[in-house]
Amino acid sequence: MLIVLLFVQLAVPRNVTAQTELSAADRDLLIRVRQAGLWEMPAGDWARTRARDEHVKDVGMTLMVDHGRLDVQVRDLARRRGVTLPDQPTADQQRWLVEMRDAPTAADFERVFANRLRAAHGVVFGVIAQVRANTRDDEIRAFAAAANQVVLRHITLLESTGLVDYTQLPQPQSGTVSASAGAALDLAATDVITTVVLGALLCGATVLVLWLIRHPARRLKAGDKT
């Protein structure tokens, strides 16, 4: 009976999934992902048609398709959660598109394409990771996890073109581990203590059951005396 109760205790989820009020960071994530798609989808389409290198064309196609899927997800999520999304790129993003459009040669276009998108993905990658680590909302957490995989894949693809100038990327900031690292692990001290206690009880119960199975005669003698 003790073992059954312990397994029931472990099977009951400790956190109840519920829709929470979105934080400013949650809303900002949805806006940034939508904003990214508004200029990276046309940039990817241009790479597919204007690049001379077949690999750059393939990278452009992948970026366009992936951001198209993310755009569908983010618009649906924003609609259900009451977040107003932008409908056009920012001034900087429009400037980057003009820079690509006005590139005099295919080689110049490829260089601008790879470097502008690599830099932009690096910025949004940090934002997504921070929200994934700290959000209290289950839907945002799942969306951030999916977006994180897409952005990391795009960073890797853009770097695989061999056109990225790493000296133009911002220097990584050093510092101590922030509280978000602990949040990303999603493991509190009370969780550890509870797990240890339950584990000890389970081991004790298992030993008791094994002892009773191996010594049936002692159990029968005890029953005769009563």
Side-chain angles (χ1 to χ4, degrees), residues 50-53 56 105-115 163:
R50 293 191 56 186
R52 61 178 180 177
D53 186 278
V56 176
T105 67
D108 291 325
F109 169 84
E110 292 171 355
R111 177 182 53 78
V112 175
F113 169 80
N115 283 278
L163 299 170

Side-chain angles (χ1 to χ4, degrees), residues 129-149:
Q130 190 73 10
V131 173
R132 172 61 182 84
N134 296 312
T135 185
R136 271 54 169 175
D137 189 90
D138 293 329
E139 280 193 310
I140 295 295
R141 187 178 303 109
F143 177 74
N148 186 72
Q149 294 178 358

